[in-house]
Structure formats: structure tokens, C-alpha cells
Amino acid sequence: MLTALLLALAQVQSLDLAADTARHVTVDRDPAKYLGHPTTALLGDGRTILCAYPEGHGRGAIRIVRSEDGGRSWSKPQPVPASFATSLETPTLHRFTLRDGSERILLFSGLYPARMSHSDDAGRTWTELAPIGEFGGIVVMSSVVRLADGSLADNFHDDGRFLTQGGKAAGTFTLLQSVSRDLGLTWSAPTSLWSGSDVHLCEPGVVRSPDGRELAMLLRENRRRAESHKQFPRDQ
């Protein structure tokens, strides 16, 4: 089913909305800083959106802004812990529903060591960024998905520089996965899903099919020498 959906999307013609200014909303603008690489999380109410991004190209202090109306308007940057100013990579946001029906939002910051903050009050307050293990990676965790047994699996990549302390690039990209069995509070040491040098696959994004039975991992090729790739795990 998911394969058919991806093939159907590939046939859709592009739609350029650049000139449709009625759809444009300025989330944040700072003439003195490069603001980019936004990551968003839609909360369970269907209208509240959190957006996190660095004050710089990947590396830089993390800002978080909030929309209460589905993205039509945005707050000023919200108060965040002091450690958010020490972020070395693009932050990523992920939302999950806990067993009692409340929500937990995870924020990750990469390189070595991978660090995480979380919020259990819809993003109004956050814990300090803290290491989740003796490992790191680039743009951790670019994807987090809930598995059939209720655990969380995060996926990310590294090129040899940040998986361990003092690592060096070797021309090989590795896709990695770490698992949490307590809804994001602790994470296992990562395991390798794929490694190769002929293509540099990175920044995995995992989506689940509409029937919930199949996962697809979408991947970009970092050197721009090949098209994007996809993988289909069959066993969660």
C-alpha cells in the first residue's frame, strides 16, 4: 500500500506557490542572524504547532516559537533553558502520546554527544539538554517512530566523525538506530542499519503506511550525485 502511495505521489506535477503571497507567513526574521533548518511538531489538539530552529547554519542557539492557530500567526521566541545556546547541530522535534493520554515532546541536538531535552507541558517548559549516551551523530534524531510493541526507534546518520568521541570522516555514511522503551527518557546504544560509500545516504525520515503495517525510510543523497532512496523494513 505504501509503495503504491509513493508511486502515485511521484506522478503528481509540481505546484509552485512562490507567488501566492496569501499563503506566506513570516515565522521569524532577524537581520543580524541566519535563521534556517526549522523543525516542527503539531500537537494533539490539531492547531498548536511548535517550531524549533538554530541561530545559524545548523550550529547555533536554539529558538522555539509557537502557533496556536495552525500556523497563521507565530509567537516571539519562547523562553528556553540556558543549554539551548550551546547546540552544535540542527534541532529536531518529535511528539508522542503517553499512556495516560498526555503528550511528550522530544528535542534532540546532534554531534558528539547526542543530547536531548523534553517537555511534558505542550512545549511551555523544557529540561536542559543532556547527553543520551556515549554516542553522537549528524542531525540526531532526524526521525523517531513508535513501533508495534510501543517502543520508540530513532534513526539518524553519521560519517565517522561524531558517532564516537574523536572520530574521523572516512568517506562512508552509516544509517543508525537507537531504541527507547520508556517513551524517550533513555535510549540504547545505536546499531547500524546500513553503511556505504558509493552513495552518501543521510537524514532518514520514516513514515508509516495508512494501514499501520508497513514502514518506509526516505533518504537524501548528500553528494547530490544520485536520486533520493527509500528502504522498507518488514519486521518493525
Side-chain angles (χ1 to χ4, degrees):
M1 181 180 292
L2 188 56
T3 303
L5 176 61
L6 291 173
L7 290 173
L9 290 174
Q11 303 302 315
V12 176
Q13 294 183 353
S14 62
L15 179 63
D16 188 351
L17 300 175
D20 190 352
T21 57
R23 297 176 182 265
H24 297 178
V25 176
T26 299
V27 175
D28 192 3
R29 178 180 287 120
D30 189 333
K33 290 184 172 65
Y34 175 104
L35 303 179
H37 305 295
T39 178
T40 60
L42 176 66
L43 303 194
D45 61 12
R47 65 178 183 275
T48 302
I49 306 173
L50 301 180
C51 181
Y53 48 96
E55 295 181 359
H57 188 83
R59 179 188 298 260
I62 297 172
R63 294 187 184 185
I64 295 182
V65 294
R66 183 184 193 91
S67 173
E68 304 280 1
D69 55 10
R72 293 178 179 84
S73 62
W74 292 87
S75 70
K76 298 294 186 182
Q78 304 288 284
V80 293
S83 57
F84 279 36
T86 68
S87 177
L88 301 176
E89 246 291 11
T90 300
T92 61
L93 285 176
H94 306 279
R95 177 192 69 87
F96 295 96
T97 302
L98 303 183
R99 294 182 178 90
D100 62 3
S102 62
E103 294 180 305
R104 173 166 295 157
I105 308 165
L106 309 177
L107 181 147
F108 294 95
S109 175
L111 302 193
Y112 184 91
R115 294 182 294 165
M116 186 189 76
S117 168
H118 77 272
S119 172
D120 287 345
D121 60 3
R124 293 179 178 85
T125 62
W126 298 84
T127 62
E128 296 283 355
L129 282 172
I132 59 173
E134 295 181 3
F135 65 91
I138 304 172
V139 193
V140 297
M141 307 302 182
S142 57
S143 181
V144 179
V145 64
R146 180 169 259 162
L147 302 181
D149 64 0
S151 61
L152 302 180
D154 67 50
N155 299 278
F156 62 104
H157 81 281
D158 191 58
D159 62 3
R161 290 178 292 168
F162 308 110
L163 182 58
T164 58
Q165 190 171 25
K168 298 183 183 302
T172 298
F173 273 44
T174 301
L175 301 178
L176 298 140
Q177 179 172 281
S178 177
V179 174
S180 172
R181 304 193 183 281
D182 54 11
L183 293 174
L185 296 182
T186 60
W187 295 87
S188 69
T191 57
S192 174
L193 302 179
W194 171 90
S195 186
S197 57
D198 54 336
V199 290
H200 285 180
L201 302 182
C202 65
E203 298 176 13
V206 177
V207 295
R208 188 176 290 279
S209 63
D211 63 7
R213 294 184 298 179
E214 190 175 16
L215 298 173
M217 177 183 287
L218 311 178
L219 300 147
R220 64 182 284 264
E221 203 286 315
N222 191 60
R223 292 185 296 183
R224 283 74 164 175
R225 296 181 183 177
E227 296 178 343
S228 298
H229 283 54
K230 56 185 180 292
Q231 294 183 346
F232 293 96
R234 304 295 184 183
D235 57 359
Q236 293 291 305

